[in-house]
Amino acid sequence: MQPLIDNARAFGRRPEEFATLAAGQSPEVLFITCSDSRVVPALITGARPGQLFELRTAGNIVPPYASGTPTGEAATIEYAVEVLGVQDIVVCGHSHCGAVGALVRGDDLSTVPAVRDWLAHAADEPRTADPADPTVNEAVQHHVLTQLLRLRSYPCVESRLTDGRLRLHAWYYEVHTGQVREHRSATDAFEAL
């Protein structure tokens, strides 16, 4: 913890670098990814403060849209699209994902009921040819595409997609190599950026 505290102290000693941020934010991208500590959107993309609006959830799950029961995730998506006017949304899954791995393996999650109930929002059970693969890459990639489809059901997203003001992207990040792949519809495969 001490190195983090030391960095936080030093970070605040450069106010001139952050003064313009007080005027507001205008990120172009909503970046939806997993809460996993090995996935750092700003590090992956090289983004500076104010460039990414982030939504991090266990397993980068986008819950179903339900107007009668708002969620923090739905509010974040709606705010990014309607208020901030983001032009792109990236859903980024990653290798070695504990959430997707638990779904693939059918892990007993009875001791963590909140996790179990959250993972029920995954929509489809991620599929893979090799459930023993620790990277769970095939399952994660399928899962990311499923979450992208889920996003399309949000009225604000659907509206902006229809009029061409929004683009969706499916990314896969390999924590063990640092490589990022994007789904290409022409080949229906995740390929290097």
Side-chain angles (χ1 to χ4, degrees):
M1 182 70 187
Q2 192 57 50
L4 300 176
I5 293 169
D6 294 342
N7 189 59
R9 284 182 182 141
F11 194 74
R13 292 187 187 135
R14 304 184 314 258
E16 67 283 351
E17 291 181 35
F18 302 99
T20 60
L21 297 175
Q25 62 175 325
S26 57
E28 294 181 10
V29 178
L30 168 59
F31 200 94
I32 301 173
T33 195
C34 187
S35 303
D36 191 297
S37 63
R38 300 168 293 179
V39 181
V40 183
L43 186 62
I44 294 167
T45 63
R48 299 289 301 150
Q51 291 184 303
L52 292 179
F53 198 68
E54 295 181 24
L55 173 58
R56 296 182 65 136
T57 69
N60 54 269
I61 292 173
V62 175
Y65 180 81
S67 60
T69 53
T71 64
E73 297 81 19
T76 300
I77 293 164
E78 187 175 81
Y79 187 81
V81 172
E82 294 292 348
V83 178
L84 297 176
V86 297
Q87 298 168 10
D88 295 275
I89 299 177
V90 173
V91 176
C92 182
H94 67 94
S95 68
H96 303 84
C97 182
V100 172
L103 291 169
V104 166
R105 293 184 302 270
D107 290 355
D108 176 10
L109 301 174
S110 58
T111 61
V112 283
V115 173
R116 179 197 60 220
D117 294 348
W118 174 252
L119 293 182
H121 288 300
D124 287 342
E125 221 171 86
R127 58 178 187 245
T128 183
D130 182 8
D133 175 13
T135 67
V136 292
N137 68 337
E138 183 182 1
V140 169
Q141 291 171 8
H142 172 341
H143 175 71
V144 166
L145 294 174
T146 300
Q147 301 316 300
L148 215 60
L149 286 173
R150 176 74 64 68
L151 260 177
R152 291 176 176 274
S153 72
Y154 281 60
C156 62
V157 171
E158 180 186 29
S159 169
R160 299 263 173 148
L161 285 171
T162 299
D163 66 21
R165 292 184 290 160
L166 184 65
R167 293 174 298 272
L168 302 181
H169 309 271
W171 285 14
Y172 172 72
Y173 171 66
E174 291 183 341
V175 298
H176 56 292
T177 67
Q179 185 174 41
V180 179
R181 300 172 189 261
E182 181 174 27
H183 183 263
R184 309 274 191 223
S185 55
T187 60
D188 193 26
F190 282 80
E191 300 174 9
L193 284 175

